[in-house]
Structures are given as structure tokens and as C-alpha cells.
Amino acid sequence: MTPKRPGTGERGARFAVRSVAGQFFVLQLAIVLLLVIAAALVLAWQARSADVRSARDRSRTCAGTLAVSPSTAAALQSPRPTRRLEPLSVRAGRECGIDFVAVLNRKGVRLSDPIPSLIGKRASGDFGRALAGETYTEQFEGEPKDSVRAVAPVRNADGKVIGIVTAGVDLATVSARLNRELPWVGVGAAGALLLATAGAGLVSRRLNRQTRGLGPAEVTRMYEHHDAVLHAVREGVLVLDGERRLVLANDEAHRLLGLPDQAQGQHVDDLRLESSVGELLSSGRTATDEVHVVGDRMLAVNQRTTGQNGGPDGSVATLRDTTELREVAGQAEIAAQRLELLYTAGLRIGTTLDVVRTAEELAEVAVPRFADVVSVDLLDHVISGKEPLPDPAAARVRRVALRSALGETHPLQTVGSRPSIPPVVPTAEGGEEAEVVFEPDLAAATGWRTVDPEGAERILAAGFHSLITVPMRARGTVFGLASFWRRHQRPFQPEDVASAGELVTRTAVCVDNARRYAREHGLAVTLQRSLLPGGLPEQNAVTAAYRYLPAQAGVGGDWFDVIALPGARVALVVGDVVGHGLHAAATMGRLRTAVHNFSSLDLPPDELLAHLDELVARIDQDPTLGPETGPVTGATVLYAIYDPASGQCQLAGAGHPPPALACPDGTTAILGVPENLPLGLGTSPFETHTLSIPEGSRLVLYTNGLVQVRSRGLDDRMDMLRAALAPVGQDPERTCAALLQTLLPDRTNEDRDDIALLVAETRLLPPSRIAQWDVPSDPEAVAPVRAACMSQLTEWGLEETAFTAELILSELITNAIRYGAPPVTVRLLCDRYLTCEVSDSSSTAPHLRRATTVDEGGRGLFLIAQLAQHWGTRYTPEGKTIWAELPLTATQVEPPLA
């Protein structure tokens, strides 16, 4: 803790001895103490003197009275004077209140005395004056005691002195009485001392508050500094009392107002000040920076009243000469305008990640605050979001922003034009360099005219007089130029170049960010578009339509697909990867590819999702993933397989919203797909839901972005979806449009999830295009079944394909009878392909191998693979189905189902 400076103290605190208040207190206390002691001594002396005087008076009275008493004279002349005088003297001493009364003869021998042993003895002292007839008092010192006594002569009838009466008071008695009075004197002195000390303390305490605990030297210094500052400050100070008389005026006030030397003490009206200033000072009203003209000066006057806190009434006025501050104030105003311009630029430039809009924001901020007209020209590769060209000197520019405070009356080229600009020169470091053009006087300058002489003449003719052109540069790369023109405003000054540079630098950073965002966004959109299906495959099972709406934040992970499966079936897929950006799009592409690969194995929905779940788990455990790459866990998918031959649909989902179904009769429903967990969790097996769908029904698959919004509950949104599906007769395209028209208006800026929507209208394969036979478990049954198949192919007009189909069917039926288990079934489907299917109850997987030249068997599946366009195995709960697809010519293909 910093020690307190000696002689200082807080307001109301105990004052230090070294302070003015402390020293004043000590001095007062010493003076009071001396005065009290002196007063006590004087009082004691006066008391003793009074006691002695009282003793003299009583003794003289007693002695004189006894001396003139006839009894005393008679007793002295009697034969036995002692006997008669003793009672008289005792009674007289008692009545007079004195210590002793003695009667002496002319020789000074005691005839009576309070002390019997002294009777008959001569009294000490000279009684010549008494024998001469004089009565007197004296202070006697001797035997028996020091005393104050009176001596009076006793006369006979003839006037002759016949004896002497002495009466007195012992000095010890006087001292005893004084001792009894001294305590009261001491009490009075102590009380006076306490009162005087308290008064001195109060006075010193008030003085301590006023001097703030300062010592004498500090107080002296303070007043010296006060005077020095008061008279040296460049601001006039006037102090007036309650009667508006001038109490104090410093030297600056004398100078500014021209006050006379004898102004102090005069009334303010008698000073004959300028009318406005004199009126203000005379009124005593509060004023703040009021400007008054005094001679050739402009004074800013402030006035405040005093006396609110118990001080003297009056007012204090200050006067400041603002004449010399005009130029400084102008510079400060310019600086304030520059700061405001830059502050506004920081708020309004770069609010979007759009290159052109950012350039427009620069022009909007600068006009009319900084210039009358502003134009912004950007290089082509910057506008398109591409990387800088290797030869920036060959780059072309396009005007992207132009704003004018002059309306249309300017000769500058419009937005979209390609103006001529100074060349952009590459530097040795590989960047580009463009110089700042500062022309405060366009008419006198010639360098700026060389770029476009004709345009320069039109600009001068329009009245433009100054120009600043700043290259828009960030990270060492020039993106374009920003030009600031003035016609009505004052010409540009050198300090304006810095302001223009800061504006353009801020804009360049924002343009660079917008350019890089546009490039990355374009790459992400291109990637996503390449990963999403470009069109739907040709198939007759369903008529499908789709919509994909990316989120406002950019590309996302929603996707859909329609996959043609063998047996005229079709797979409908909708998925959602949590998040946005390149990672979500890339993950979506991996999942879509995986679904295509797994569907080529002709797996049921639950097994396909199980494989997909394992794939996601392996992706999440990949050690090559960086910290910026999030896990795929949280991806959802809905997979459906529709069979037009039976009208059955198998659905399985992994954490995905359930599909909706609209039947031809107008009824709608949300299908109860088992609520499996999202992909990657691997905690429970997936389940498949199978249902029969009437022909002409619309199956709707979607992602949660379609139905989930913050403003409404999910149940309400599902009811809205069903209501939009209710109208009968809508094809898939109209259904997609109706769903978006119904559900999109509730979405806000906070609902920025992607939307993937797939609507499929179901069709049934006509029974005439399906043929099926049961094959007995006997090799001899192969020939009749094969003949029946050939007959059916001839009926369908597939004679050209019959031979190949016969070979494939013979091999498949023979293998099923030889290696499979009954029952064996053969089915032919004629759609866009001729599908030959042979089913049995065995789950043994066939294996394709290449037989050697000496092998007698093992060529059957190889032969099928060579003859068929596609072939494969599909496992069912009853066993397996081996299928082969044969292509058909254009005339053989069954037309699309109506």
C-alpha cells in the first residue's frame, strides 16, 4: 500500500499534526492551557487576598468593639481583671468568628487569652501605636502563630489608654479555607479547558476540511499555484456574488472582455460589457458553450450558479476564445466525417457473398458521402469466381457498379460495359501492380486522358474536376479498379486518397471472399449435380417425377434415385446425410453409389440397409478422416422395391420419415414403415414392411426438409401433406408441384434444410405378358416345359429370341432339377426385356467358373453369362431365383403401360 503523504487527510478524518489544521489546533490548545492556568492562579490569589482581607476586617471589628465596651475598661480597672476579661474575650471571639481575642495591659502582658498558658505572659510585637491611641491591623509573624490581627486601645472614662485588645485569625485558618476553595477553581479551570479544546477542535476540523489536510508549505504552494494557473490559463474566469458584483477575474478574462483594472468589486452592469455577454452575466442563468461576439472575437461562454451546497450565492462564468479554433474544428469535422464513412463501410460493405453486390455496396456507401459518382470495374475471372489468369495484362474488365448523385446527367459508361482502364502490370514476385491515380485538377492533368481521350473530353465537358482511382487488390492480386469522381463537391485533397484506399481495401477483401465462396460453391454444386441422377431410367413399373431444392446455405446431402431391377421391378430410394457442404455432398455420393452396387445384387430392402449400415460404420472408423470431417452417422435412407407383376411393395427405412400413399379412390395414408435407427449405429436389425398397392396409386418419398419447420408441429405438416395428395387424377409432376405449393410457404430463413421429393405412380404388368409353369422334379420334364416356353415366346412374337431363350431355359431348368430342391418354377416376363426366371426352394448359390478343355461339365452358367445381357440370383424366403435378361428389338418391346 502506498503510504499517505504527511499532512494529508481525508474529508472529515482526523487531521495530522503537520497539517495547517493540526498546527492551528496545537497552538489554540497551548494558548487555552496557559490562559486557564493563569486564570486559576489569579483566582487562587484573589481568593487568598479576599480571605486575608476578610480576616483583617473581622479582627478589626471584633477588637474595636471589645475595646470600646465599658465592660472591658471596667474589668481592666478591677482588682482581678483576668477573671472578668476571660469570658468577655471568649464570647467576643466566638461571636466574631475569629481564632483568638486577647486583652493586654499597657505593658503588653496578656490578661486574657484563648490559650490559658499564655495569660500573664507578654505578647510579642510593638504596641506603641496602640498605646498612642491608634487602632490598626497587621500580619503578625511570631509566637504563638502567624496570624492576621487587629490592635485596638482600651480607654477609661478620661480617655487614657489603660489597655490593649488584640483579635485575629491564624494564617493556617486562612490557608485551610483557601484549600477548600481550590478544588472548585480546578473544576472550573478543567471545564473551561475542555470547552476551549472542543471549540478549537471544531474550528480545526473545519479548517482541515477546507485545507484538505495540507501543511502550511503545501497550502502556500497551493495558493501560489492557484494564482499562477488562474492567471496563466487560456480561459477567462469570472466569479460574481449574489448581488452580481465581480468578485474575481483572471488576466484572460480582463483581456477577452477589456475589463478595467478596478473592475473587482463593481456591479456587472457598471462594467459596460458587450450587450449579449453583459446580459448573460447579469441574469445569472445557466449557459453552456453559448457563442457571443465581443469585438472581433467569438467567445464560447459557460455559466453555472453557486451556493447549491451551502456555499455563497453567486455564479462562475468561463470564457473561451473560439476564433483560433475554427480551423482546428474544421479539420476535426473532416476527420469525423472520414471515421463515419469508414464505420458505415464496415457495416454495409460485404453483407453478402456476392461479388457484384459487394461492388454495388461500395458505390452506395461512397455516394454522396465521398464522391458524386463512383464506378467499379472488375476483371472477368473475378466476376465468374475463377482463379487469377496467368497473364493479368490480357484480362478484360466489365463495369459491375455505377452510382451517381447527379441522376443520369453524367458521361460515364453504364453497368455491363467494358471501359478502358490503365494496364495491370505483373510484378517480379508474380503478383500484379496498378498505381493509384490522384488528379485533384482533371483539366490540368494529362495522364488520365491517355486511356480514353474521347471519354476524358466528355467528362471534362460535364464539369467533373477531380478523380481518385484505386486498384482493388487483396492477397497480392488485383481484382479491378474503383473510381471516385467529383463535380459539385470540393476537389479531392491528398488526405482523401487514404480514405479512398481504405474503402477499396475493405471492399477488395470482401470481393475476394465472395469470389472464393462463389468458386467453392460452384464446385460443390457441380459435384452434387454430378452425384445426383441426371434423369430417370427407362422402366414400365412406375411413372416417376422428382424435385430437389438445395438449402439456402449451399449444397447438402439429400438425394434420391430410381433403379431398374430385374424382373420388371423398380427400386425407389430417398436419403439424407446430415449437414451441408462438400463433405455432405461427397458422403451422399458414396452412399448413392453403394446403394446402386448393393441393389445390383438383387437384395431385399432389409439386407441392403444392413450392408449399407456396415459401410457407414466402416467409413466412420476410417483413420484417414481428418478432424474437420464429421462422421456419417446420422444419415437416413428409405428403400422401396415395387414389383409390377404382383403389385407388392417392400419398404425398409433407416431413421427416415415414412412415405405417403395416395390411392386412386382418393384415400391417403402415411405408411407404417418400421422405425429403424439411422445408418451407422448398428444396434438393431432392420425390418421390412410389405404391402399391396393398387394400380395407379402414387407413392411419395421425401426427406424431412419437406415436412419439418419450426413454426408448426409435425402432425400438422403431415396432415397438410395428405391433404395435398387427396385430389384424384394428378400425375406425378402435378403432385410434386402441389406438395411444394402447399408445404413450402411455412418455411422461414431458419428452415434451411434440403428437400428431396420423389413421386412414383404404380403400374401393373398385364397378365398376358407373364407366363409361369411348375416343373416336376424329373429330368424328362425339361423338354415339355421348354416346348411350352417356346410356344409362349412365339405367341409374344419373339421368334428371333426363342433360340437363345431355349438354351438358357434348358440350362437353368436342368440345374434346378439336378442341384436344387422342389418345387421348381419357371416364369417368363415380357417387358422391356425378356426375363427368364427359374426358382427352387434351395438356397445353394450358383457359382460361375471357367471349365478347361478336358472338363465334361461346368460350362452352363458361363454359357448363360455369354448369351444373356444380365443374369443373377435373387434369394427369397422360399429359396432362390436364378434369372437372365435378354434384350429385345424395338418392335418386340411392350409399349409403356397406360
Side-chain angles (χ1 to χ4, degrees):
M1 178 181 291
T2 304
K4 297 184 70 174
R5 178 169 50 85
T8 63
E10 297 180 355
R11 185 179 182 88
R14 185 174 59 186
F15 41 84
V17 177
R18 295 183 59 183
S19 66
V20 172
Q23 294 182 11
F24 180 74
F25 175 75
V26 172
L27 179 60
Q28 279 186 313
L29 187 61
I31 293 173
V32 169
L33 182 60
L34 291 176
L35 290 176
V36 169
I37 292 173
L41 294 176
V42 170
L43 287 175
W45 178 79
Q46 288 179 345
R48 182 177 178 83
S49 298
D51 290 341
V52 172
R53 189 165 51 252
S54 176
R56 288 177 181 270
D57 292 341
R58 287 185 285 114
S59 299
R60 186 183 185 92
T61 301
C62 183
T65 302
L66 186 60
V68 298
S69 174
S71 300
T72 304
L76 283 174
Q77 295 175 0
S78 66
R80 300 182 66 181
T82 300
R83 185 175 180 180
R84 295 182 64 182
L85 290 173
E86 187 67 24
L88 292 175
S89 61
V90 171
R91 185 171 62 251
R94 184 171 60 251
E95 291 178 355
C96 292
I98 56 180
D99 291 335
F100 65 91
V101 177
V103 180
L104 311 178
N105 58 19
R106 287 182 57 84
K107 295 181 180 180
V109 177
R110 292 184 175 89
L111 298 178
S112 67
D113 195 275
I115 302 174
S117 60
L118 296 179
I119 297 176
K121 295 183 179 180
R122 189 181 186 283
S124 300
D126 182 11
F127 300 103
R129 295 171 58 191
L131 293 176
E134 181 181 357
T135 300
Y136 61 93
T137 61
E138 64 178 352
Q139 188 169 338
F140 172 74
E141 294 179 2
E143 293 296 336
K145 293 181 180 179
D146 295 340
S147 61
V148 175
R149 69 181 181 183
V151 181
V154 180
R155 300 175 184 272
N156 58 11
D158 297 333
K160 181 180 179 181
V161 177
I162 60 175
I164 302 172
V165 177
T166 62
V169 179
D170 295 339
L171 290 180
T173 302
V174 175
S175 298
R177 184 173 181 179
L178 178 62
N179 291 337
R180 289 193 302 269
E181 295 174 353
L182 283 178
W184 295 103
V185 175
V187 171
L193 181 61
L194 289 176
L195 291 176
T197 303
L202 292 175
V203 173
S204 299
R205 185 181 182 87
R206 183 177 182 86
L207 181 61
N208 184 65
R209 288 199 301 266
Q210 294 178 348
T211 60
R212 300 188 180 276
L214 300 176
E218 293 169 321
V219 171
T220 302
R221 260 196 324 272
M222 180 183 69
Y223 281 104
E224 291 175 351
H225 294 168
H226 169 267
D227 291 339
V229 171
L230 180 65
H231 294 288
V233 70
R234 292 291 303 275
E235 186 166 320
V237 178
L238 297 174
V239 180
L240 299 115
D241 59 15
E243 298 179 357
R244 318 313 300 159
R245 295 184 180 277
L246 185 62
V247 177
L248 175 66
N250 67 347
D251 294 344
E252 184 68 7
H254 278 268
R255 183 182 73 86
L256 295 176
L257 298 178
L259 298 177
D261 296 338
Q262 298 80 18
Q264 188 167 335
Q266 297 185 29
H267 195 278
V268 68
D269 294 337
D270 298 334
L271 298 177
R272 298 181 180 179
L273 302 175
E274 294 288 340
S275 58
S276 57
V277 177
E279 179 184 356
L280 173 61
L281 296 177
S282 179
S283 65
R285 61 181 174 83
T286 300
T288 302
D289 286 337
E290 289 189 6
V291 178
H292 297 266
V293 178
V294 179
D296 58 349
R297 294 188 179 93
M298 295 183 63
L299 303 183
V301 183
N302 294 271
Q303 183 166 258
R304 295 292 184 273
T305 59
T306 60
Q308 292 85 351
N309 298 323
D313 293 335
S315 63
V316 176
T318 60
L319 305 96
R320 185 174 65 256
D321 188 358
T322 61
T323 307
E324 301 173 355
L325 300 178
R326 289 180 182 177
E327 183 177 354
V328 177
Q331 295 176 356
E333 183 179 359
I334 294 174
Q337 293 175 353
R338 177 183 177 186
L339 291 176
E340 181 183 4
L341 175 66
L342 297 179
Y343 175 75
T344 304
L347 294 178
R348 295 180 54 183
I349 297 178
T351 58
T352 65
L353 289 173
D354 183 82
V355 173
V356 175
R357 180 55 190 157
T358 302
E360 292 173 349
E361 289 172 343
L362 169 62
E364 292 171 359
V365 169
V367 175
R369 294 179 180 87
F370 186 70
D372 293 321
V373 180
V374 173
S375 62
V376 181
D377 308 319
L378 296 181
L379 300 177
D380 287 344
H381 67 267
V382 176
I383 301 174
S384 60
K386 299 178 182 178
E387 289 297 322
L389 299 177
D391 184 11
R396 301 182 64 191
V397 301
R398 185 166 75 244
R399 180 150 294 171
V400 296
L402 178 65
R403 190 172 183 87
S404 171
L406 311 174
E408 299 297 331
T409 58
H410 62 79
L412 298 180
Q413 299 182 38
T414 61
V415 173
S417 62
R418 294 191 176 274
S420 300
I421 64 171
V424 179
V425 182
T427 62
E429 291 78 9
E432 303 101 24
E433 184 65 32
E435 297 296 334
V436 176
V437 176
F438 171 52
E439 299 294 352
D441 187 357
L442 291 177
T446 57
W448 69 282
R449 305 188 192 189
T450 58
V451 178
D452 184 8
E454 295 182 0
E457 293 299 328
R458 291 194 298 270
I459 290 172
L460 291 175
F464 288 91
H465 52 71
S466 58
L467 163 69
I468 295 178
T469 298
V470 182
M472 191 173 293
R473 181 187 297 107
R475 296 188 302 113
T477 302
V478 174
F479 299 144
L481 296 174
S483 300
F484 303 89
W485 306 82
R486 283 186 179 180
R487 187 173 76 175
H488 294 322
Q489 301 184 35
R490 67 181 180 87
F492 284 117
Q493 303 300 315
E495 58 268 17
D496 292 327
V497 177
S499 300
E502 292 188 25
L503 281 176
V504 176
T505 299
R506 288 172 182 257
T507 307
V509 173
C510 297
V511 167
D512 186 38
N513 292 338
R515 179 190 65 84
R516 298 176 69 181
Y517 170 78
R519 178 176 177 273
E520 294 179 1
H521 182 72
L523 292 175
V525 170
T526 302
L527 173 63
Q528 186 181 40
R529 289 177 179 173
S530 66
L531 295 176
L532 289 173
L536 300 180
E538 294 182 355
Q539 43 80 36
N540 291 335
V542 296
T543 301
Y546 63 88
R547 294 290 188 275
Y548 177 75
L549 279 70
Q552 297 182 12
V555 297
D558 289 17
W559 55 283
F560 65 92
D561 218 336
V562 177
I563 305 173
L565 297 179
R569 297 170 303 146
V570 66
L572 306 174
V573 191
V574 169
D576 184 5
V577 177
V578 177
H580 300 91
L582 286 176
H583 172 64
T587 303
M588 176 268 290
R590 298 176 73 176
L591 294 182
R592 180 169 178 261
T593 302
V595 170
H596 269 272
N597 292 334
F598 290 142
S599 63
S600 66
L601 300 177
D602 210 354
L603 299 174
D606 55 342
E607 293 186 20
L608 185 142
L609 292 185
H611 287 291
L612 200 62
D613 184 68
E614 293 178 1
L615 173 64
V616 171
R618 288 195 299 271
I619 292 176
D620 287 343
Q621 297 172 2
D622 190 349
T624 60
L625 296 177
E628 71 283 354
T629 305
V632 185
T633 303
T636 64
V637 66
L638 179 65
Y639 186 80
I641 297 178
Y642 175 69
D643 187 355
S646 61
Q648 286 191 341
C649 182
Q650 294 178 311
L651 302 103
H656 202 80
L661 180 65
C663 297
D665 59 359
T667 60
T668 60
I670 303 299
L671 301 182
V673 179
E675 296 181 356
N676 300 315
L677 295 174
L679 298 176
L681 298 180
T683 56
S684 61
F686 295 94
E687 299 180 13
T688 299
H689 177 63
T690 304
L691 73 158
S692 296
I693 299 179
E695 184 179 11
S697 299
R698 287 166 291 160
L699 185 63
V700 180
L701 286 70
Y702 54 89
T703 56
N704 58 2
L706 180 68
V707 294
Q708 289 184 354
V709 295
R710 299 175 185 268
S711 58
R712 304 190 66 169
L714 182 60
D715 293 340
D716 293 342
R717 297 283 290 175
M718 299 302 287
D719 292 340
M720 294 172 62
L721 185 145
R722 293 180 58 188
L725 292 175
V728 179
Q730 291 184 343
D731 59 9
E733 284 289 342
R734 294 173 60 189
T735 301
C736 288
L739 288 173
L740 295 181
Q741 184 179 2
T742 302
L743 297 174
L744 283 185
D746 286 343
R747 284 166 58 96
T748 63
N749 291 333
E750 297 179 352
D751 305 313
R752 297 185 177 182
D753 202 0
D754 305 329
I755 294 178
L757 174 64
L758 179 62
V759 178
E761 184 176 358
T762 60
R763 295 288 182 265
L764 288 178
L765 193 64
S768 61
R769 310 297 289 183
I770 305 173
Q772 183 172 326
W773 299 270
D774 293 331
V775 182
S777 182
D778 185 358
E780 295 182 358
V782 175
V785 174
R786 183 173 58 209
C789 292
M790 295 303 101
S791 176
Q792 183 64 56
L793 292 178
T794 301
E795 182 179 347
W796 286 342
L798 304 180
E799 293 84 355
E800 298 179 4
T801 314
F803 179 75
T804 303
E806 182 179 7
L807 292 178
I808 293 175
L809 286 171
S810 297
E811 184 63 30
L812 292 178
I813 296 172
T814 301
N815 286 343
I817 295 175
R818 179 180 300 176
Y819 302 109
V824 178
T825 303
V826 176
R827 188 172 73 161
L828 297 179
L829 300 174
C830 182
D831 189 41
R832 292 184 178 272
Y833 299 93
L834 174 63
T835 304
C836 305
E837 297 180 349
V838 177
S839 304
D840 66 84
S841 59
S842 172
S843 59
T844 304
H847 177 63
L848 175 65
R849 64 186 181 89
R850 299 180 182 275
T852 63
T853 56
V854 297
D855 290 339
E856 295 183 0
R859 295 179 177 86
L861 289 180
F862 180 76
L863 178 63
I864 293 174
Q866 294 298 316
L867 296 176
Q869 182 169 337
H870 300 289
W871 78 281
T873 303
R874 179 171 67 253
Y875 294 94
T876 63
E878 296 79 16
K880 69 176 183 296
T881 298
I882 302 177
W883 56 269
E885 287 184 349
L886 299 176
L888 301 178
T889 62
T891 59
Q892 295 173 333
V893 174
E894 177 73 10
L897 302 178

